[in-house]
Amino acid sequence: MGAYEGMNKATQVVWSGEKNYLAHGATQVPVVHSVAYGYDDIDEWYEVAIGKRDGHIYGRNTNPTVQAFEEKVKELEGAEAATSCSTGMAAISNALMTVLRPGDRLVSIKDTYGGTNKIFSEFLPQLQIEVELVETGNHEQMEAEIEKGCRLVYLETPTNPTVKITDIRRIVQAAKQSGALVFVDNTFATPINQNPLALGADLVIHSATKFLGGHADALGGVVCGDRQLVEAIYHYREINGASLDPMAAYLLLRGMKTLKLRVEKQQENALAVARYLSEHEKVASVYYPGLPTHPNHQIAREQMSGFGGMLSFALKGGLEAVRQFLPQLEIAHRAANLGAVETTVGPARTTSHVENTPEERAALGIPEGLVRYSAGIEDQGDLLADLKQALEAVNEG
Ligand SMILES: *Cc1c(COP(=O)(O)O)cnc(C)c1O
């Protein structure tokens, strides 16, 4: 376990994982671009190659900058081990492909991230893996499906984009009774607000592209859990080659130093925006786990230490109103990213669920006029004023 284990996360985001990689007295982890690593002693080389001794052989397998990033996330999630991938989707697909076999059954929710949902609906069935997707937040239905027997329960909480909440502890209990593994996509909560491993999950997955990096300038994914499971995923990833680039690892490492500051500010802003919108006459509904009106607000209170920077809302005028509203916003980027220092906003149909057809989105309970809002770190008053003026431009329809 790392040197900063047990310390406050504000300290861990700055210091965890870095110490062993600070060569030549550098105060920042260097970006090691070298693809290969040389050895004069072939016995030492061999021992590194078979994992008996620390070191690096080839960049598709391991890289020092990438390892520093993995160690930082590992410590923040309180995990035994972590490994990384080129993107969040690579982390998700590598984790799934490592554990699932033909004939296995997977239980998950309808509201997973669009790409994850595509793996469930398109690719797993090709491998004779049965996928059962239950209504997100319906714990009884999920328990009943788990009880029928399954290899893996896959959760994402809060979900993208409707920020629905699943009770991780409760589902873990059902999964354990059925001998199933539990994976949790923790991208929206971040390790600042939620540690699924401490709630009993077997694996936590992040799209590091989002909050961890926080600056919308690097793609990455990471998984954390017990050593055996993480090593199996690492082994699959080193062979299929979806490795994290060292430059991306450096950007993610640097971004993570401000993770706690950013998330705190983002969730302050998100709550203020959610409260403002829920009282606005042109807004039909607001989805944010920090609002007492959220159906699973109480579960969120129990398993999260903050409600996060993501919310979504629907306008009374539907998609036509969204067409008028979005271009009026002066501050927010209209872009598919989320979790960055800049506020970003966009309809689900062009962001999280762009991979799905309108019919699929309807089946997932995502209105075509739903707007996803990722609160940045800008001034709260400016963000609220911007929403106010943009909503004024919407014709009552
Ligand atoms: C973006 C996202 C992913 C996919 O991550 P990429 O880095 O874009 O591949 C997975 N899960 C959630 C919740 C996301 O928001």
Side-chain angles (χ1 to χ4, degrees), residues 212-283:
L212 296 188
H215 293 73
D217 55 4
L219 291 159
V222 61
V223 300
C224 311
D226 75 57
R227 188 167 307 282
Q228 213 182 347
L229 179 57
V230 168
E231 276 178 5
I233 297 168
Y234 162 74
H235 180 57
Y236 184 61
R237 196 272 292 149
E238 70 171 337
I239 301 307
N240 72 44
S243 313
L244 182 62
D245 180 76
M247 190 63 210
Y250 172 78
L251 291 168
L252 296 171
L253 259 179
R254 187 174 69 166
M256 278 185 71
K257 293 187 189 201
T258 55
L259 179 65
K260 191 156 187 283
L261 288 175
R262 284 187 281 109
V263 168
E264 282 167 359
K265 179 70 178 168
Q266 284 165 318
Q267 60 201 13
E268 262 174 50
N269 283 344
L271 181 62
V273 165
R275 282 185 177 146
Y276 173 76
L277 291 173
S278 48
E279 279 164 15
H280 200 286
E281 58 188 16
K282 291 181 186 171
V283 176

Side-chain angles (χ1 to χ4, degrees), residues 36-263:
Y37 301 80
Y39 295 88
D40 292 331
D41 179 340
I42 65 160
D43 295 320
E44 183 191 347
W45 188 354
Y46 180 69
E47 287 188 352
V48 173
I50 63 168
K52 264 184 84 177
R53 187 196 264 261
D54 282 346
H56 306 277
I57 299 284
Y58 185 65
R60 173 154 45 74
N61 313 103
T62 63
N63 168 283
T65 316
V66 168
Q67 263 181 0
F69 163 72
E70 292 166 346
E71 286 186 26
K72 196 184 278 292
V73 183
K74 178 190 88 168
E75 209 155 288
L76 277 164
E77 285 290 6
E80 206 174 85
T83 194
S84 60
C85 291
S86 52
T87 64
M89 280 315 303
I92 291 165
S93 44
N94 275 267
L96 293 171
M97 294 305 170
T98 300
V99 302
L100 293 171
R101 303 283 177 275
D104 280 346
R105 187 162 175 271
L106 171 139
V107 175
S108 187
I109 49 174
K110 286 188 178 171
D111 290 62
T112 48
Y113 176 73
T116 310
N117 188 266
K118 262 295 182 227
I119 296 188
F120 292 164
S121 62
E122 190 173 333
F123 296 106
L124 293 185
Q126 286 177 8
L127 304 172
Q128 281 77 52
I129 293 158
E130 193 192 326
V131 176
E132 185 68 46
L133 303 182
V134 308
E135 216 56 64
T136 311
N138 186 338
H139 293 82
E140 289 79 15
Q141 197 193 349
M142 184 159 235
E143 284 165 336
E145 289 300 338
I146 293 169
E147 213 179 302
K148 290 181 194 165
C150 64
R151 168 86 182 117
L152 178 66
V153 180
Y154 186 98
L155 300 178
E156 184 182 316
T157 180
T159 56
N160 185 357
T162 46
V163 286
K164 290 182 187 154
I165 302 287
T166 300
D167 186 334
I168 299 175
R169 262 196 213 96
R170 178 168 169 183
I171 296 304
V172 161
Q173 200 175 10
K176 294 296 163 226
Q177 274 165 13
S178 287
L181 292 167
V182 179
F183 291 2
V184 181
D185 182 333
N186 204 30
T187 301
F188 269 34
T190 82
I192 301 302
N193 284 331
Q194 179 171 275
N195 289 126
L197 300 175
L199 302 171
D202 298 286
L203 193 78
V204 45
I205 306 175
H206 285 279
S207 166
T209 315
K210 313 292 172 54
F211 289 93
L212 296 188
H215 293 73
D217 55 4
L219 291 159
V222 61
V223 300
C224 311
D226 75 57
R227 188 167 307 282
Q228 213 182 347
L229 179 57
V230 168
E231 276 178 5
I233 297 168
Y234 162 74
H235 180 57
Y236 184 61
R237 196 272 292 149
E238 70 171 337
I239 301 307
N240 72 44
S243 313
L244 182 62
D245 180 76
M247 190 63 210
Y250 172 78
L251 291 168
L252 296 171
L253 259 179
R254 187 174 69 166
M256 278 185 71
K257 293 187 189 201
T258 55
L259 179 65
K260 191 156 187 283
L261 288 175
R262 284 187 281 109
V263 168

Side-chain angles (χ1 to χ4, degrees), residues 275-303:
R275 282 185 177 146
Y276 173 76
L277 291 173
S278 48
E279 279 164 15
H280 200 286
E281 58 188 16
K282 291 181 186 171
V283 176
S285 48
V286 180
Y287 307 87
Y288 184 63
L291 292 178
T293 50
H294 185 285
N296 284 326
H297 175 63
Q298 201 47 42
I299 299 170
R301 286 195 87 89
E302 278 159 29
Q303 70 186 13

